[in-house]
Amino acid sequence: MIVALAFLLSITILFLDITFSLPEKFSDYPLYLQFIPSLLKYLSLGTLAAAGFLVVIVFTLLFGRVYCSTACPLGVLQDIISFISKKIKKRKYVYKKPLTKTRYSILIVTILVFLSGSVITFNLLDPYSNFGRILSNIFQPIVVGINNTIAFFLESFNLYWIYPVEFRGIEIFSLLFSIGVFGIVGWMSYKHGRLYCNTICPVGTFLGFISKFSLFKIGITESNCISCGVCERVCKANCIDTDNSSIDFERCIACFNCFTSCSTEAIEYQFRYLPQKKDGPIVNISKRDFVIKSAVYFVGASAVLKAQKKIEVYKENEIPVIREYAVSPPGSVSINNFTDNCTACHLCVAACPTHVLQPSFLEYGLLGIMQPRMDYIKGFCNYDCVICSQVCPSGAILPIKQESKKLIQLGIAKFEKDNCIVYTQKTDCGACAEHCPTKAVRMVLDPEVNKNAPKIDEEICVGCGACEYACPTIPYKAIYVKSNPSHLTAKLPVQEELEQPDLEEDFPF
Amino acid sequence: MKRREFFIKSAVAGLGTAAYLKFGNNFDLFANTKTAPDNIYDLVAIKGGEADVMFNRAINSLGGMKRFVKPNQTVVVKPNIGWDVSPERAGNTNPKLVKQIVKECFDAGAKDVYVFDNTCDNWTKCYKNSGIENAVKEAKGKLVSGANESYYQEIAIPNGKRLKEAKVHELVLNSDVFINVPILKNHGGAKLTVAMKNLMGVVWDRGYWHRNDLHQCIADYATLRQPDLNVVDAYYVMKRNGPRGVSEADVVTMKSQLISTDMVAVDAAAAKLFGFDPNDIDHIVYANQMNVGTMDLTKLKIDRISL
């Protein structure tokens, strides 16, 4: 239980660190064992440093689904809800039949969709990612609100101990989705314990399948058992059947409630490969048929959905500015690599100090729903910052060094002269050039208006979006970043030496 | 702060200032400064030393810090902390100078000294990497965020031509003394950033200024309230690619400083120091026309010091 709380707390802190005071490397520890992100990271990096999911499988092969009871933050969250539920109303669990058909359908569809090249099902169903979204979309705004209320209160006494944190809005779809998931998970765990884990969660089903073969399993020693039924009533996975003295170990999440409740020590880990009585397998043809058909349907549907990846960002301007693709974060290599590996846990969104990373809606197409994109209206990518690449647990954003990041070209700044203040108002502005870290955008005298106007050197532009963010034109921007669907390498800006002034000279006035 | 409270406070502050201007010379009888009022210069230009040493020497020529900060007053120091760059990049005010100013304020009896800027890059990083956070903490000053709209109060600018109102940081409105500490550097839009341009960092909606004739807005805001003191840091000076700069190659070492109560005068002198004619910088010309101060340096009593 302490381990479980440690995981839950550390992950929660990661997502709710609104003042960015944690070191980025902190995220490595609690996230290493998160199954789906680790699996994806392993597939894209192939290093053992990303093989947390193998550790989980090994543990499962030994002791069953300990992942679900300790490392999985959504699982532990459900335990907390169940705990509260019991405090409110004396609740007893009873053995329930497994919903095998449902859970295996979900698992198989998840795997097939993944094999067909999309992570959409992971994106929607992965427990860690859902937990992350619940925190960053629902709880983070609440924490920011509380923080800011306290800050304003103290400020009225001229105390500036804590500061208000800037809040740049929410993406409504992600919020609604998270509220929906939180509602379903919350209701299920409030009423039925770990029902979500044993019917919907594909990770739970998969690890349950593996635990069929685990070396040790929790079982009832019939000679000690007095059939009192206490263990059944505390089993939040509803998997202990005291009438038949059996435990459905596939659904057992190794919470050990039964161990502590049993007065006769009848429940213990048993070595699996002791001879045991077993029923022969029953094959249900219609069941199999249903699974295959639904899987085929989903694979087909996902291919159709993937075809529509383009969207317009700006509309109804005098000169329509169309951004064909969303900009993916630095370290993601390309839009494809990013959308293939991102489970939309929104940790990068929570960790991004400039708030440029925002959940997308349909910018990456339907299959990339909720995956973060660079939103240059909300912020811009800090030239020296690599935080998102360090916190990403799934390898969708690969770790990058500060120096190499400065050369990654996410996109290229494009200038819409007829939207620019220098030309429309004939007054000075320069906000875009002001913010540009490489001076890919600089102010150059244009004889046409006798004013300095923006000029772009595309080769040294890194697509950070500082110019777009700073551009003050309304309603639409005069400068924007056109996405590189595959990131390119920018050139370093060349700098000539300046002549140092003579300090002995008199003042020029 | 409530609107009413603001009016009352500003009225009191205004009366105080008026009283000071009328009877100000008498205060020096009690202030125990070595310099007699007649010897106080309008503008001090100093070069050749470290930033803190130059400030100590220069402030004496302006009558000492006690002329500006009275016991138990609250002070706001507004350096340029706009960018997430190291001090050598000259994007932000020299931290040594900020530290010395905060210290001098306390030595003059200040109750509280607040430091803030509405930064362009992420504010926590700007504060940290500019070295100013550390400098202020060492001098026991209070560093405050400028990164939230709730800090800013809407006020009218009666003499503004394009800028009729602005949301101004409450600390600037609430404090007794306001010290403006810009760094001199090149600027893509405003050509040059010095004292008047630095005040863009005390307001919330800078985009409005950019949209509505940047130079005129800078001059308009300057009509609102003169800072009690302007200290221009020209130790490291960014000669091109401003205001952010690309690397240290953009920076020259000038080891200079300019101090004055007149923003227009100090900006004009800074422009010359930089190598520009002040007449080419529109906001200096506009502010001069609007009687914010004088850009005619020949009319001023200037103390020129080489260390």
Side-chain angles (χ1 to χ4, degrees):
Chain A
M1 193 173 88
I2 291 164
V3 184
L5 284 177
F7 267 105
L8 183 76
L9 279 178
S10 51
I11 293 174
T12 305
I13 291 168
L14 267 182
F15 276 94
L16 299 183
D17 178 25
I18 53 171
T19 57
F20 308 109
S21 39
L22 284 179
E24 295 85 56
K25 280 282 139 198
F26 178 79
S27 65
D28 286 0
Y29 306 108
L31 299 189
Y32 180 70
L33 292 177
Q34 295 310 318
F35 193 79
I36 300 259
S38 160
L39 172 70
L40 290 172
K41 194 169 192 173
Y42 180 78
L43 290 176
S44 68
L45 286 182
T47 63
L48 272 183
F53 80 102
L54 285 176
V55 177
V56 173
I57 290 179
V58 168
F59 263 91
T60 313
L61 279 173
L62 287 172
F63 304 111
R65 291 165 58 182
V66 281
Y67 169 83
C68 303
S69 57
T70 52
C72 176
L74 196 70
V76 182
L77 177 71
Q78 291 175 65
D79 290 348
I80 291 173
I81 295 172
S82 307
F83 179 78
I84 296 169
S85 141
K86 275 192 188 169
K87 287 278 160 196
I88 295 171
K89 191 177 167 188
K90 282 262 175 269
R91 210 177 279 278
K92 285 173 192 146
Y93 297 117
V94 286
Y95 174 79
K96 288 196 185 111
K97 287 216 168 94
L99 296 163
T100 312
K101 200 167 164 178
T102 318
R103 65 185 162 133
Y104 276 101
S105 305
I106 293 173
L107 175 64
I108 289 166
V109 167
T110 306
I111 293 173
L112 285 176
V113 170
F114 176 61
L115 292 179
S116 81
S118 164
V119 291
I120 179 77
T121 38
F122 287 173
N123 189 324
L124 300 177
L125 296 174
D126 172 39
Y128 156 74
S129 301
N130 269 309
F131 180 75
R133 283 194 294 263
I134 288 170
L135 283 186
S136 66
N137 291 300
I138 305 174
F139 286 95
Q140 201 190 41
I142 295 173
V143 172
V144 168
I146 294 171
N147 175 79
N148 290 3
T149 311
I150 298 174
F152 298 146
F153 177 74
L154 288 176
E155 188 197 307
S156 58
F157 296 101
N158 271 340
L159 298 172
Y160 292 89
W161 294 330
I162 56 174
Y163 53 82
V165 173
E166 214 176 333
F167 185 62
R168 303 205 184 180
I170 38 179
E171 209 289 305
I172 195 71
F173 179 79
S174 290
L175 176 68
L176 291 178
F177 186 86
S178 304
I179 290 175
V181 170
F182 190 43
I184 291 169
V185 172
W187 176 78
M188 282 182 164
S189 54
Y190 191 84
K191 289 275 189 194
H192 308 287
R194 293 286 199 119
L195 181 62
Y196 176 84
C197 308
N198 282 323
T199 42
I200 296 173
C201 179
V203 178
T205 309
F206 178 72
L207 294 179
F209 176 74
I210 290 186
S211 65
K212 271 187 179 181
F213 310 103
S214 63
L215 216 50
F216 298 96
K217 66 165 210 161
I218 294 170
I220 300 172
T221 311
E222 280 184 53
S223 53
N224 285 354
C225 178
I226 52 168
S227 295
C228 65
V230 170
C231 55
E232 181 175 335
R233 292 197 290 273
V234 298
C235 177
K236 56 196 175 199
N238 314 106
C239 72
I240 302 180
D241 180 4
T242 36
D243 292 344
N244 297 313
S245 290
S246 72
I247 296 176
D248 179 2
F249 194 59
E250 265 194 72
R251 285 187 291 151
C252 167
I253 48 117
C255 68
F256 307 122
N257 282 355
C258 50
F259 277 55
T260 41
S261 73
C262 181
S263 54
T264 60
E265 294 177 15
I267 294 183
E268 58 190 3
Y269 264 119
Q270 297 168 342
F271 192 62
R272 158 90 58 180
Y273 297 99
L274 286 177
Q276 261 174 0
K277 218 172 79 181
K278 260 191 172 180
D279 294 31
I282 306 157
V283 177
N284 184 333
I285 301 294
S286 71
K287 202 188 271 183
R288 212 171 257 188
D289 190 49
F290 164 74
V291 169
I292 292 168
K293 276 187 180 159
S294 55
V296 168
Y297 170 75
F298 274 98
V299 173
S302 70
V304 172
L305 298 176
K306 206 164 187 174
Q308 34 167 291
K309 245 185 187 174
K310 291 178 186 172
I311 63 120
E312 286 184 4
V313 174
Y314 300 127
K315 288 174 193 162
E316 61 178 50
N317 206 351
E318 284 176 50
I319 297 100
V321 180
I322 298 164
R323 184 161 18 213
E324 253 185 297
Y325 306 101
V327 181
S328 64
S332 64
V333 185
S334 66
I335 291 179
N336 279 340
N337 182 65
F338 181 68
T339 51
D340 285 354
N341 289 295
C342 174
T343 63
C345 73
H346 292 180
L347 179 57
C348 57
V349 174
C352 176
T354 57
H355 306 285
V356 63
L357 272 171
Q358 293 288 330
S360 66
F361 179 44
L362 295 174
E363 284 84 348
Y364 290 118
L366 249 179
L367 290 180
I369 200 156
M370 295 187 292
Q371 288 172 340
R373 69 187 169 102
M374 305 294 270
D375 181 349
Y376 294 139
I377 307 295
K378 295 255 170 75
F380 62 94
C381 185
N382 191 328
Y383 194 46
D384 301 297
C385 179
V386 290
I387 288 174
C388 57
S389 85
Q390 285 173 343
V391 299
C392 177
S394 75
I397 310 175
L398 298 173
I400 39 174
K401 292 246 156 41
Q402 214 180 52
E403 285 316 304
S404 56
K405 189 252 174 165
K406 290 181 176 174
L407 294 176
I408 296 177
Q409 192 184 57
L410 311 174
I412 296 172
K414 298 285 173 192
F415 181 49
E416 279 299 335
K417 184 178 166 184
D418 294 327
N419 289 347
C420 177
I421 283 151
V422 176
Y423 295 97
T424 57
Q425 317 277 309
K426 308 271 189 292
T427 58
D428 286 298
C429 172
C432 52
E434 208 176 296
H435 285 70
C436 179
T438 62
K439 281 292 169 288
V441 182
R442 55 174 66 232
M443 301 307 282
V444 178
L445 187 73
D446 184 348
E448 182 194 324
V449 279
N450 196 29
K451 291 270 175 219
N452 287 334
K455 194 136 194 111
I456 300 167
D457 180 352
E458 297 193 347
E459 282 193 332
I460 60 170
C461 175
V462 291
C464 69
C467 53
E468 182 175 339
Y469 174 72
C471 178
T473 57
I474 41 178
Y476 304 115
K477 304 277 185 178
I479 194 164
Y480 73 103
V481 175
K482 188 167 186 248
S483 169
N484 287 344
S486 279
H487 295 173
L488 302 172
T489 306
K491 284 195 178 154
L492 265 182
V494 184
Q495 293 266 72
E496 285 162 30
E497 278 298 305
L498 282 169
E499 203 184 316
Q500 291 293 326
D502 181 6
L503 292 179
E504 300 302 311
E505 245 175 55
D506 280 338
F507 286 104
F509 47 83
Chain B
M1 185 164 68
K2 296 262 166 54
R3 182 180 287 246
R4 182 174 296 172
E5 193 189 340
F6 166 68
F7 282 129
I8 294 169
K9 277 200 179 171
S10 26
V12 170
L15 283 176
T17 316
Y20 175 76
L21 289 175
K22 199 157 172 60
F23 311 110
N25 288 352
N26 299 334
F27 289 161
D28 285 321
L29 294 174
F30 310 106
N32 192 25
T33 46
K34 280 178 195 159
T35 348
D38 295 352
N39 297 339
I40 294 180
Y41 290 95
D42 298 314
L43 189 148
V44 183
I46 184 166
K47 65 159 73 176
E50 287 304 299
D52 46 353
V53 176
M54 288 193 288
F55 177 73
N56 279 354
R57 175 69 188 79
I59 191 72
N60 278 337
S61 295
L62 280 191
M65 201 60 165
K66 286 186 172 148
R67 183 185 144 199
F68 303 98
V69 179
K70 305 291 170 207
N72 254 341
Q73 284 188 321
T74 54
V75 185
V76 172
V77 175
K78 160 62 176 81
N80 189 331
I81 331 178
W83 305 97
D84 176 15
V85 292
S86 61
E88 298 73 32
R89 293 268 301 270
N92 306 309
T93 307
N94 192 320
K96 246 187 206 173
L97 174 62
V98 178
K99 182 179 172 182
Q100 189 61 29
I101 292 174
V102 174
K103 252 177 82 182
E104 291 276 323
C105 290
F106 280 122
D107 286 350
K111 185 172 75 180
D112 274 320
V113 182
Y114 297 107
V115 181
F116 85 95
D117 192 9
N118 183 7
T119 64
C120 299
D121 283 336
N122 179 270
W123 72 276
T124 47
K125 286 185 184 273
C126 291
Y127 280 19
K128 190 164 187 281
N129 296 336
S130 64
I132 290 177
E133 181 175 314
N134 236 347
V136 172
K137 278 184 182 160
E138 278 170 13
K140 307 268 189 296
K142 288 179 181 167
L143 207 63
V144 176
S145 162
N148 202 287
E149 193 171 357
S150 63
Y151 284 131
Y152 294 78
Q153 319 276 338
E154 181 118 21
I155 58 161
I157 303 168
N159 298 323
K161 285 184 179 164
R162 297 291 293 266
L163 189 70
K164 292 286 187 189
E165 54 197 14
K167 281 191 152 188
V168 181
H169 198 291
E170 59 188 19
L171 280 177
V172 176
L173 301 172
N174 293 349
S175 298
D176 303 311
V177 184
F178 179 41
I179 301 179
N180 184 19
V181 196
I183 184 168
L184 168 64
K185 57 179 174 171
N186 164 260
H187 194 282
K191 288 204 175 100
L192 209 58
T193 152
V194 206
M196 285 189 278
K197 172 74 180 68
N198 193 41
L199 296 188
M200 267 181 104
V202 307
V203 299
W204 181 249
D205 187 7
R206 287 187 292 244
Y208 181 89
W209 298 35
H210 277 283
R211 278 195 297 277
N212 294 280
D213 193 348
L214 182 62
H215 285 286
Q216 186 60 54
C217 287
I218 293 172
D220 286 350
Y221 184 79
T223 63
L224 191 63
R225 181 199 176 185
Q226 284 273 350
D228 300 280
L229 182 64
N230 301 283
V231 184
V232 179
D233 166 30
Y235 191 90
Y236 295 121
V237 175
M238 187 192 294
K239 292 288 278 184
R240 63 175 178 217
N241 293 335
R244 194 184 198 278
V246 174
S247 70
E248 281 181 45
D250 296 320
V251 178
V252 296
T253 309
M254 281 193 174
K255 288 200 175 189
S256 305
Q257 208 172 88
L258 303 166
I259 308 191
S260 176
T261 52
D262 184 335
M263 275 200 292
V264 184
V266 86
D267 279 6
K272 286 197 167 170
L273 189 66
F274 191 89
F276 281 170
D277 181 348
N279 286 301
D280 291 339
I281 318 276
D282 287 347
H283 66 263
I284 298 180
V285 177
Y286 296 161
N288 183 65
Q289 287 164 357
M290 294 168 89
N291 294 321
V292 175
T294 176
M295 66 187 288
D296 185 356
L297 298 178
T298 58
K299 284 188 184 156
L300 299 175
K301 222 166 102 180
I302 301 176
D303 191 9
R304 299 173 181 83
I305 309 166
S306 272
L307 291 180

